[in-house]
Amino acid sequence: MHTRTATSKSGVIARYREYLPVTDSTPIISLGEGNTPLVFCPRLSERVGRAVFIKNEGINPTGSFKDRGMTVAVSKAMERKAKALICASTGNTSASAAAYAARAGITCAVVLPAGKIAIGKLLQAFACGAKIVALEGNFDDALRIVRELGEQRDLAVVNSINPDRIAGQKTAAFEVVDELGDAPDFHFLPVGNAGNITAYWAGYREYHARKKSAKLPAMIGFQAAGAAPIFYNRIVEKPETVASAIRIGNPASWKQACGAISESRGAIDLVSDEEILAAQNWLAQHEGIFVEPASAAPVAGLFKCRESKEAAYSIQKMPEESKIVCTVTGHGLKDPEIITAQMKKLRPVPVSVEEVRCALGL
Ligand code: F0G
């Protein structure tokens, strides 16, 4: 087999090698992840009253931000000669792990909460040949089992409890700073298992320490109302939300997330399922960015900050010249179920210009 990947110029390890735990003996397993668009959003900015940029992590090889961490975690697992990869997942981690495992030529086992994985994500794990177990339990149960299996056998756990995942994911913060010329004032993102908020904060701090940025942003995280353990400061035994990616009641990086929020003088807040779905629709229809429900949580959060007195961090507290970056974590095509219901309205019309004109109401 050719070893072209070792000299690949694309991907987060090639771009940010000096910041990552890799050496010359690390085989680089990459699918060209990272370098995702940071898009200024005029209509969103107008509605919120501040300059808002979307960091679109759905534009990664498997359609979510997980690929940044997975390239590092799988490369390091290969270096350590792991027998197989294993992860628990609400969907995206398993899709990413399955793809990078296929690329590396190693077995990937995934443990998923039965019936709670968006169809597109499950499809990806199947397509890439993962060994899939559907668990009669939720994500928190799955992660507990994976942790135990990881200890007992020669398996590399590629959840975000693996520090290599966090190391890879912090490159998203580097990209934001490299593109804006400094850190933003506020960084909005969804919070589930809380690895990503931990990783962004680590990235911003590291770049700041290396004098690559003058500022540090306030980190503002959003959980779904039915799965908001950090907001309520207690474990949620039966988390429920339409945003299945963040249906988590006992986040692994809970403490680190609280550290990121308090050190950055940020906040944790929650948004309802209705607000999430409304924000998902709004973003697609006003900015052309179609994201999965979990990714719409921080967009719903932006609206809450602007429009609700109950917001944990009101827009009034954000100076007018502030720059806000909002990470959307996964592509909308992964989770089409709710939008598919709207397509049922479509009825065929006869082949006639008049009929088509009439049907379009033009
Ligand atoms: N957004 C999406 C689309 C996700 O898939 C996840 C997490 C998050 C946000 C939350 O990120 O866990 O770092 O706070 N998905 C994990 C998974 C749990 O298994 O795919 P986090």
Side-chain angles (χ1 to χ4, degrees), residues 64-66 88-94 121 139 159-160 169 190-197 245-246 248 292 294-295 329-330:
S64 89
F65 71 101
K66 305 287 181 180
S89 184
T90 57
N92 280 321
T93 295
S94 56
K121 302 174 190 177
F139 170 82
N159 282 101
S160 58
Q169 280 173 217
V191 175
N193 212 24
N196 210 27
I197 192 168
I246 51 172
I248 294 175
E292 64 167 288
S295 304
T329 42

Short mmCIF file of all heavy atoms in Angstrom, two decimals, residues 64-66 88-94 121 139 159-160 169 190-197 245-246 248 292 294-295 329-330, ligand 1:
data_model
loop_
_atom_site.label_atom_id
_atom_site.label_comp_id
_atom_site.label_asym_id
_atom_site.label_seq_id
_atom_site.Cartn_x
_atom_site.Cartn_y
_atom_site.Cartn_z
N SER A 64 -19.15 16.26 10.33
CA SER A 64 -19.19 16.88 11.66
C SER A 64 -17.80 17.22 12.17
O SER A 64 -16.79 16.75 11.61
CB SER A 64 -19.89 15.96 12.68
OG SER A 64 -18.97 15.08 13.29
N PHE A 65 -17.77 18.00 13.25
CA PHE A 65 -16.50 18.44 13.85
C PHE A 65 -15.67 17.30 14.43
O PHE A 65 -14.49 17.48 14.72
CB PHE A 65 -16.80 19.45 14.97
CG PHE A 65 -17.43 18.86 16.21
CD1 PHE A 65 -16.66 18.60 17.33
CD2 PHE A 65 -18.77 18.56 16.26
CE1 PHE A 65 -17.24 18.05 18.49
CE2 PHE A 65 -19.36 18.01 17.40
CZ PHE A 65 -18.59 17.76 18.51
N LYS A 66 -16.28 16.13 14.59
CA LYS A 66 -15.59 15.01 15.23
C LYS A 66 -14.32 14.61 14.47
O LYS A 66 -13.39 14.07 15.05
CB LYS A 66 -16.50 13.80 15.33
CG LYS A 66 -17.81 14.06 16.02
CD LYS A 66 -17.64 14.22 17.51
CE LYS A 66 -19.01 14.47 18.15
NZ LYS A 66 -18.92 14.62 19.60
N ALA A 88 -18.58 4.96 22.30
CA ALA A 88 -20.02 5.15 22.49
C ALA A 88 -20.36 6.39 21.68
O ALA A 88 -19.49 7.21 21.45
CB ALA A 88 -20.31 5.41 23.96
N SER A 89 -21.62 6.50 21.25
CA SER A 89 -21.90 7.69 20.46
C SER A 89 -23.39 8.00 20.36
O SER A 89 -24.24 7.10 20.43
CB SER A 89 -21.34 7.51 19.04
OG SER A 89 -21.53 8.68 18.29
N THR A 90 -23.68 9.29 20.20
CA THR A 90 -25.02 9.71 19.81
C THR A 90 -25.10 9.78 18.28
O THR A 90 -26.09 10.24 17.73
CB THR A 90 -25.38 11.08 20.42
OG1 THR A 90 -24.39 12.03 20.01
CG2 THR A 90 -25.43 11.02 21.94
N GLY A 91 -24.05 9.37 17.58
CA GLY A 91 -24.09 9.25 16.13
C GLY A 91 -22.87 9.76 15.40
O GLY A 91 -22.25 9.04 14.61
N ASN A 92 -22.50 11.00 15.65
CA ASN A 92 -21.41 11.58 14.86
C ASN A 92 -20.04 10.98 15.17
O ASN A 92 -19.23 10.77 14.26
CB ASN A 92 -21.37 13.10 15.05
CG ASN A 92 -22.41 13.79 14.21
OD1 ASN A 92 -22.64 13.40 13.07
ND2 ASN A 92 -23.06 14.80 14.76
N THR A 93 -19.77 10.72 16.44
CA THR A 93 -18.48 10.11 16.79
C THR A 93 -18.36 8.76 16.10
O THR A 93 -17.30 8.41 15.57
CB THR A 93 -18.36 9.96 18.32
OG1 THR A 93 -18.34 11.26 18.89
CG2 THR A 93 -17.10 9.23 18.72
N SER A 94 -19.45 7.99 16.10
CA SER A 94 -19.39 6.66 15.48
C SER A 94 -19.18 6.76 13.97
O SER A 94 -18.43 5.98 13.39
CB SER A 94 -20.63 5.84 15.81
OG SER A 94 -21.80 6.50 15.41
N LYS A 121 -26.37 9.25 10.21
CA LYS A 121 -25.17 8.90 10.98
C LYS A 121 -25.00 7.37 11.07
O LYS A 121 -23.91 6.84 10.92
CB LYS A 121 -25.26 9.49 12.39
CG LYS A 121 -25.42 11.00 12.39
CD LYS A 121 -25.66 11.55 13.79
CE LYS A 121 -26.05 13.02 13.72
NZ LYS A 121 -26.36 13.59 15.03
N PHE A 139 -26.97 7.27 25.93
CA PHE A 139 -25.55 7.49 25.65
C PHE A 139 -24.69 7.33 26.91
O PHE A 139 -23.60 6.76 26.85
CB PHE A 139 -25.34 8.90 25.08
CG PHE A 139 -23.89 9.29 24.99
CD1 PHE A 139 -23.09 8.88 23.93
CD2 PHE A 139 -23.29 10.04 26.00
CE1 PHE A 139 -21.74 9.21 23.87
CE2 PHE A 139 -21.94 10.37 25.96
CZ PHE A 139 -21.17 9.96 24.89
N ASN A 159 -13.63 8.14 22.22
CA ASN A 159 -14.52 9.21 22.69
C ASN A 159 -13.67 10.39 23.15
O ASN A 159 -12.45 10.27 23.27
CB ASN A 159 -15.41 8.71 23.83
CG ASN A 159 -16.56 7.88 23.30
OD1 ASN A 159 -16.51 6.65 23.33
ND2 ASN A 159 -17.56 8.54 22.76
N SER A 160 -14.33 11.50 23.49
CA SER A 160 -13.56 12.71 23.84
C SER A 160 -12.93 12.62 25.23
O SER A 160 -12.24 13.54 25.65
CB SER A 160 -14.41 13.96 23.68
OG SER A 160 -15.56 13.88 24.49
N GLN A 169 -9.41 18.63 18.25
CA GLN A 169 -10.56 19.54 18.14
C GLN A 169 -10.19 20.99 18.45
O GLN A 169 -10.86 21.91 17.99
CB GLN A 169 -11.70 19.06 19.04
CG GLN A 169 -12.48 17.94 18.37
CD GLN A 169 -13.52 17.28 19.26
OE1 GLN A 169 -13.71 16.09 19.18
NE2 GLN A 169 -14.18 18.04 20.11
N PRO A 190 -22.90 24.37 20.85
CA PRO A 190 -23.75 23.43 21.57
C PRO A 190 -22.91 22.61 22.54
O PRO A 190 -21.72 22.38 22.29
CB PRO A 190 -24.31 22.52 20.46
CG PRO A 190 -23.33 22.60 19.35
CD PRO A 190 -22.64 23.94 19.46
N VAL A 191 -23.53 22.14 23.61
CA VAL A 191 -22.81 21.33 24.60
C VAL A 191 -23.57 20.03 24.84
O VAL A 191 -24.76 20.04 25.13
CB VAL A 191 -22.65 22.10 25.93
CG1 VAL A 191 -22.02 21.21 26.99
CG2 VAL A 191 -21.80 23.35 25.72
N GLY A 192 -22.84 18.91 24.68
CA GLY A 192 -23.42 17.60 24.94
C GLY A 192 -22.56 16.88 25.98
O GLY A 192 -22.76 17.01 27.18
N ASN A 193 -21.56 16.18 25.48
CA ASN A 193 -20.63 15.50 26.39
C ASN A 193 -19.54 16.48 26.87
O ASN A 193 -18.70 16.12 27.66
CB ASN A 193 -20.01 14.30 25.66
CG ASN A 193 -19.69 13.15 26.59
OD1 ASN A 193 -20.29 13.01 27.65
ND2 ASN A 193 -18.73 12.35 26.21
N ALA A 194 -19.57 17.67 26.33
CA ALA A 194 -18.76 18.82 26.77
C ALA A 194 -17.28 18.76 26.38
O ALA A 194 -16.47 19.53 26.87
CB ALA A 194 -18.91 19.05 28.27
N GLY A 195 -16.95 17.88 25.43
CA GLY A 195 -15.58 17.82 24.93
C GLY A 195 -15.24 19.02 24.06
O GLY A 195 -14.14 19.57 24.14
N ASN A 196 -16.20 19.46 23.25
CA ASN A 196 -15.88 20.50 22.27
C ASN A 196 -15.65 21.86 22.92
O ASN A 196 -14.73 22.57 22.55
CB ASN A 196 -16.99 20.58 21.22
CG ASN A 196 -16.47 21.02 19.86
OD1 ASN A 196 -15.29 20.80 19.53
ND2 ASN A 196 -17.31 21.65 19.06
N ILE A 197 -16.45 22.20 23.91
CA ILE A 197 -16.25 23.49 24.59
C ILE A 197 -14.89 23.47 25.31
O ILE A 197 -14.16 24.46 25.33
CB ILE A 197 -17.43 23.83 25.54
CG1 ILE A 197 -17.34 25.28 26.00
CG2 ILE A 197 -17.52 22.88 26.74
CD1 ILE A 197 -18.62 25.79 26.70
N ALA A 245 -28.06 14.38 19.07
CA ALA A 245 -26.60 14.43 19.24
C ALA A 245 -26.20 14.89 20.63
O ALA A 245 -25.14 14.52 21.13
CB ALA A 245 -25.98 15.36 18.19
N ILE A 246 -27.06 15.70 21.26
CA ILE A 246 -26.71 16.24 22.59
C ILE A 246 -27.69 15.72 23.65
O ILE A 246 -27.94 16.38 24.66
CB ILE A 246 -26.62 17.79 22.59
CG1 ILE A 246 -27.86 18.43 21.98
CG2 ILE A 246 -25.36 18.24 21.84
CD1 ILE A 246 -27.90 19.97 22.14
N ILE A 248 -27.68 13.93 26.33
CA ILE A 248 -26.69 13.42 27.27
C ILE A 248 -27.00 13.98 28.65
O ILE A 248 -27.21 15.19 28.81
CB ILE A 248 -25.26 13.84 26.81
CG1 ILE A 248 -24.95 13.13 25.48
CG2 ILE A 248 -24.21 13.52 27.87
CD1 ILE A 248 -23.63 13.51 24.83
N GLU A 292 -27.77 20.14 11.44
CA GLU A 292 -28.60 19.22 12.20
C GLU A 292 -29.13 19.94 13.46
O GLU A 292 -28.58 20.98 13.86
CB GLU A 292 -27.84 17.95 12.55
CG GLU A 292 -26.64 18.13 13.45
CD GLU A 292 -26.15 16.79 13.99
OE1 GLU A 292 -26.86 16.23 14.84
OE2 GLU A 292 -25.09 16.31 13.55
N ALA A 294 -28.91 19.64 16.75
CA ALA A 294 -27.98 19.99 17.84
C ALA A 294 -27.18 21.24 17.47
O ALA A 294 -26.90 22.08 18.32
CB ALA A 294 -27.03 18.84 18.13
N SER A 295 -26.83 21.35 16.21
CA SER A 295 -26.01 22.49 15.75
C SER A 295 -26.80 23.79 15.76
O SER A 295 -26.21 24.87 15.77
CB SER A 295 -25.49 22.23 14.34
OG SER A 295 -24.78 21.02 14.31
N THR A 329 -22.09 22.34 14.35
CA THR A 329 -21.23 21.16 14.52
C THR A 329 -21.44 20.05 13.50
O THR A 329 -20.53 19.25 13.26
CB THR A 329 -21.46 20.61 15.93
OG1 THR A 329 -22.88 20.66 16.20
CG2 THR A 329 -20.73 21.42 16.98
N GLY A 330 -22.66 19.96 12.94
CA GLY A 330 -22.93 18.83 12.05
C GLY A 330 -23.88 19.19 10.91
O GLY A 330 -24.72 20.09 11.04
N1 F0G B 1 -23.16 18.81 18.06
C1 F0G B 1 -23.13 17.62 17.44
C2 F0G B 1 -23.63 17.56 16.05
C3 F0G B 1 -22.65 16.48 18.12
O1 F0G B 1 -22.63 15.32 17.49
C4 F0G B 1 -22.21 16.62 19.45
C5 F0G B 1 -21.72 15.46 20.19
C6 F0G B 1 -22.24 17.88 20.03
C7 F0G B 1 -22.72 18.96 19.30
C8 F0G B 1 -21.78 18.14 21.41
O2 F0G B 1 -20.40 18.12 21.50
O3 F0G B 1 -20.20 16.32 23.16
O4 F0G B 1 -18.26 17.77 22.59
O5 F0G B 1 -20.20 18.68 23.87
N2 F0G B 1 -21.78 14.27 19.78
C9 F0G B 1 -21.18 13.11 20.43
C10 F0G B 1 -21.28 11.87 19.55
C11 F0G B 1 -21.62 12.90 21.84
O6 F0G B 1 -21.30 10.75 20.07
O7 F0G B 1 -21.32 12.03 18.34
P1 F0G B 1 -19.71 17.70 22.85
#
